[in-house]
Amino acid sequence: MRTHFCGLVDEALVGQTVTLCGWADVARNMGHFVFIDLRDHEGIVQVVAEPSDGDGGRDVVEAAAKVGYEDCLRITGTVRRRQNPNPKIHTGQVEVVAEKIEVLNKAEPLPFHAHENPGEDIRLKYRYLDLRTPDMQRKMRTRTKLVSALRAWLDARGFQDIETPILTKATPEGARDFLVPARMHEGEFYALPQSPQLFKQILMMAGFDRYYQIARCFRDEALRADRQLEFTQLDMEFAWVDEKIVQDTVEAMVRDVFREVMGVELDATFPRMTWAEAMRRYGSDKPDLRIGLELVDVAELVKNCEFAAFTAAANDPDGRVAALRIPGGASLSRKQIDEYAAHAAKFGAKGLAYAKIDDAGAVNSPIQKFFAEDAFKALLDAVGLRNGDIAFFGAGNYKTVSDSMGALRLKAGKDFNLVQDGWKPLWITDFPMFEWDDEEQRYVALHHPFTAPAVDSIADLRTNAKTAVSRGYDMVLNGNEIGGGSIRIHNSAMQSAVFELLGIGAEEAEGKFGFLLDALKYGAPPHGGIAFGIDRIAALMAGTESIRDVIAFPKTTTAQCLMTGAPSPVPDKQLAEVHVQVREKGADKA
């Protein structure tokens, strides 16, 4: 049907006849001449219809004059050099002189133009049109190159691509499962996998040594720019390894893949940073190192001041008082400072104190009155405040202060153009084993319940559960967690002890994880692994903040597919076949 792709026509084809297929990106009628920019997935080439001897030339010009935006065309013509080259595109040195123009499918008036940005809802409703645009074609091609490079790298190093089940068993930890009624087992359900975690561990116990899978995963959780109900991850698992082997291997993979896909050279060795250090310096377990700002702990300097919010947090073993200095931030107006306070409040902060020094050296701070003169000067000196700067102060629970001040650090970095160019990867290690859930009054796993603790003794783990450190690790790139993993528990007794600390009793553990506990008894090797978010890495490579831009058919933030109308009601007859009855909304409260 065609001889060449539009975007690949170049000077080597001058004088040759080609047949091209694509969409009319732009049609310009100049009277005697008509220019059509013909587009396919490889790019755009200029086609010109011009008069020539005989009726053929007139017919071509008339056909070209009727071409509308996004008409689906097949054009045959001769390649020649352009009189006015366009150096911005691959085909810019040539054009195709049309000899025959066929309209394969006439396009009705479109809801939006390919060169417009009509808003995400319209783009997702007409996703097939959105995906035609050169920008979306580029982003999706980047994703394809990424997945291809990952597969080639892993295949060349002896990793086995093994599929794991999509219909599996519901789990009690993490996000909510998507449930699938089992028609042949009345009243019972499958769950869609949140990850292949347990299956890949079983594969290590089964002797496969090195596994990978480009896996589809499902989590029934709130959506945002970097999350979807269904997503894709590169899942990996290794037998007979420790943290260093896993980290060194996948670090080499990431470096090679970035070089191949983007021509980018990442650091020869990624820096390592403990979770505790990351939270202390950056208020985040995925710090963006392109921003040079760091938090400063000042609890010791405010313990005896007269500001109650500071003294309460400074004297609380679980509290924190931290400051963030923003160079040039004294230019912030009172309204802008209030906006920073509102931003911190989104992350749990109950207030935001500040101090700023104008260019002449005058101090402006609502908390200055609570300090002796020398004590306040010592506080500002500790923060490093200089003329023209502002410092924000957060006080309260350690986690809340870290989260809110870390969020302010990111906002200030963007607002004051402090984000450096380039790529800043790092490893975050030594995560807490557990965190306390006040609502459920129990420990929950910070990574997942199969992560090994950094102690060999069950007694030590039970005694020091609050401060226990895990053998988990995350890879972070430019403030995004792109991969997370750990060394796994390979001892049945230790796994049972962890379940117990998480409030999972022996009966529940046997019912939900009995197959794992049994497998651990039969010579399970030490093993560990990691999973990388394909969507997140592709978004970073494509230069977009939303993973929806690198997923062909994503859901909205309200968990809908606007193109197909999913989710949608199901007829009662179909529900009856799977033994399910829909309760009216609010019926459980009656």
Side-chain angles (χ1 to χ4, degrees):
M1 194 167 194
R2 63 185 172 194
T3 61
H4 296 80
F5 292 111
C6 299
L8 301 183
V9 176
D10 57 21
E11 293 173 279
L13 297 173
V14 169
Q16 296 185 32
T17 298
V18 296
T19 297
L20 310 173
C21 293
W23 290 275
D25 191 75
V26 175
R28 304 181 297 279
N29 191 338
M30 314 298 291
H32 294 297
F33 297 85
V34 178
F35 293 95
I36 299 171
D37 287 347
L38 192 66
R39 184 189 74 247
D40 64 12
H41 80 290
E42 290 287 359
I44 290 176
V45 66
Q46 177 173 285
V47 175
V48 57
E50 59 186 22
S52 60
D53 295 338
D55 294 334
R58 184 169 61 251
D59 292 345
V60 168
V61 173
E62 289 177 356
K66 296 176 182 178
V67 168
Y69 177 57
E70 289 300 295
D71 283 354
C72 184
L73 308 175
R74 179 167 63 181
I75 296 177
T76 299
T78 302
V79 180
R80 73 180 181 192
R81 298 184 187 277
R82 286 178 63 164
Q83 291 184 343
N84 298 305
N86 180 1
K88 295 181 180 179
I89 58 176
H90 177 76
T91 64
Q93 299 297 320
V94 297
E95 62 188 7
V96 176
V97 181
E99 297 166 6
K100 183 178 182 181
I101 298 177
E102 301 173 72
V103 178
L104 301 178
N105 204 341
K106 190 75 176 172
E108 294 185 4
L110 271 64
F112 66 92
H113 194 284
H115 303 285
E116 297 174 346
N117 185 359
E120 191 170 59
D121 283 357
I122 295 294
R123 289 176 55 207
L124 294 181
K125 182 176 181 180
Y126 300 97
R127 189 61 164 179
Y128 39 86
L129 297 178
D130 186 45
L131 288 171
R132 278 190 206 169
T133 63
D135 187 50
M136 286 302 300
Q137 290 279 319
R138 175 189 65 82
K139 290 173 180 175
M140 295 305 298
R141 189 179 292 258
T142 298
R143 182 190 179 104
T144 298
K145 289 179 180 177
L146 167 63
V147 173
S148 178
L150 289 169
R151 285 192 182 279
W153 197 95
L154 293 164
D155 290 342
R157 288 159 179 80
F159 285 82
Q160 287 185 257
D161 182 359
I162 303 175
E163 293 180 343
T164 54
I166 291 294
L167 296 177
T168 183
K169 193 181 185 81
T171 59
E173 296 290 322
R176 292 184 178 89
D177 290 315
F178 279 102
L179 301 177
V180 180
R183 182 179 60 83
M184 292 180 286
H185 299 272
E186 183 174 353
E188 297 182 343
F189 294 82
Y190 299 105
L192 301 183
Q194 295 186 31
S195 83
Q197 181 63 44
L198 296 183
F199 289 104
K200 68 179 182 179
Q201 289 189 237
I202 295 292
L203 287 171
M204 296 304 98
M205 301 169 201
F208 285 98
D209 199 79
R210 287 191 167 195
Y211 143 96
Y212 87 94
Q213 182 182 186
I214 306 294
R216 293 293 282 172
C217 303
F218 307 86
R219 295 180 186 175
D220 190 2
E221 60 183 358
L223 275 67
R224 58 191 191 205
D226 65 346
R227 285 187 182 174
Q228 283 278 297
L229 299 178
E230 50 183 321
F231 57 95
T232 306
Q233 66 185 35
L234 167 62
D235 216 58
M236 302 173 66
E237 198 77 4
F238 309 65
W240 317 102
V241 293
D242 59 17
E243 295 91 328
K244 188 176 188 306
I245 295 173
V246 176
Q247 292 170 14
D248 288 350
T249 301
V250 299
E251 186 177 307
M253 177 188 73
V254 170
R255 271 196 301 270
D256 289 349
V257 166
F258 264 77
R259 183 184 302 116
E260 179 176 342
V261 176
M262 300 191 67
V264 167
E265 290 291 338
L266 297 179
D267 294 344
T269 301
F270 295 179
R272 265 72 167 168
M273 184 182 298
T274 66
W275 177 89
E277 181 183 358
M279 297 303 291
R280 176 177 58 81
R281 294 173 61 185
Y282 304 108
S284 172
D285 59 5
K286 50 181 180 182
D288 190 342
L289 297 188
R290 297 174 302 165
I291 302 172
L293 305 179
E294 294 193 22
L295 306 185
V296 178
D297 284 304
V298 295
E300 290 300 319
L301 296 172
V302 302
K303 277 187 173 181
N304 300 314
C305 75
E306 296 180 4
F307 188 38
F310 278 11
T311 56
N315 291 284
D316 182 349
D318 295 322
R320 183 178 193 186
V321 185
L324 174 69
R325 168 184 164 263
I326 304 173
S331 60
L332 290 174
S333 66
R334 181 62 209 213
K335 179 182 177 182
Q336 290 171 317
I337 291 173
D338 289 343
E339 290 173 354
Y340 271 74
H343 188 68
K346 295 177 184 177
F347 297 86
K350 295 181 179 179
L352 187 66
Y354 71 90
K356 63 180 180 177
I357 306 178
D358 66 21
D359 292 335
V363 176
N364 177 1
S365 174
I367 63 171
Q368 185 174 5
K369 61 188 177 184
F370 298 107
F371 290 81
E373 183 178 346
D374 58 342
F376 195 66
K377 183 180 183 303
L379 176 63
L380 300 189
D381 288 345
V383 177
L385 207 63
R386 302 184 181 91
N387 289 7
D389 296 348
I390 191 171
F392 288 116
F393 297 87
N397 171 270
Y398 192 94
K399 184 178 187 305
T400 300
V401 171
S402 300
D403 290 346
S404 57
M405 296 300 286
L408 289 187
R409 175 180 173 272
L410 294 179
K411 177 175 171 58
K414 293 178 181 178
D415 290 350
F416 288 86
N417 298 314
L418 301 175
V419 183
Q420 302 170 9
D421 292 332
W423 301 90
K424 292 289 185 180
L426 79 155
W427 286 103
I428 300 296
T429 65
D430 301 314
F431 282 83
M433 186 73 182
F434 309 110
E435 60 181 350
W436 183 257
D437 188 315
D438 286 327
E439 185 175 331
E440 296 192 20
Q441 287 293 296
R442 68 178 182 93
Y443 285 117
V444 294
L446 198 68
H447 264 84
H448 55 59
F450 319 108
T451 297
V455 295
D456 295 324
S457 165
I458 293 174
D460 284 349
L461 180 63
R462 285 174 172 157
T463 302
N464 303 297
K466 183 178 179 179
T467 58
V469 172
S470 79
R471 298 177 70 181
Y473 38 81
D474 284 356
M475 184 183 287
V476 175
L477 181 62
N478 290 3
N480 297 270
E481 178 208 328
I482 62 170
S486 67
I487 299 301
R488 323 303 188 188
I489 298 169
H490 68 281
N491 175 278
S492 184
M494 177 63 81
Q495 184 65 78
S496 294
V498 168
F499 284 154
E500 180 184 330
L501 285 167
L502 292 171
I504 303 173
E507 185 175 344
E508 181 183 1
E510 181 62 32
K512 293 182 175 177
F513 301 109
F515 66 96
L516 173 67
L517 295 172
D518 285 345
L520 291 171
K521 297 173 182 176
Y522 296 108
H527 59 285
I530 193 167
F532 286 94
I534 296 292
D535 309 307
R536 290 184 185 179
I537 298 174
L540 286 169
M541 287 181 163
T544 180
E545 293 186 357
S546 174
I547 63 171
R548 290 190 290 275
D549 286 339
V550 292
I551 297 174
F553 303 104
K555 305 293 188 294
T556 67
T557 53
T558 56
Q560 294 175 294
C561 175
L562 297 181
M563 186 182 73
T564 63
S568 60
V570 173
D572 290 342
K573 181 179 179 181
Q574 191 172 352
L575 289 173
E577 290 176 351
V578 293
H579 320 292
V580 169
Q581 183 177 2
V582 177
R583 302 175 64 185
E584 291 186 13
K585 191 174 182 179
D588 56 335
K589 298 179 182 180

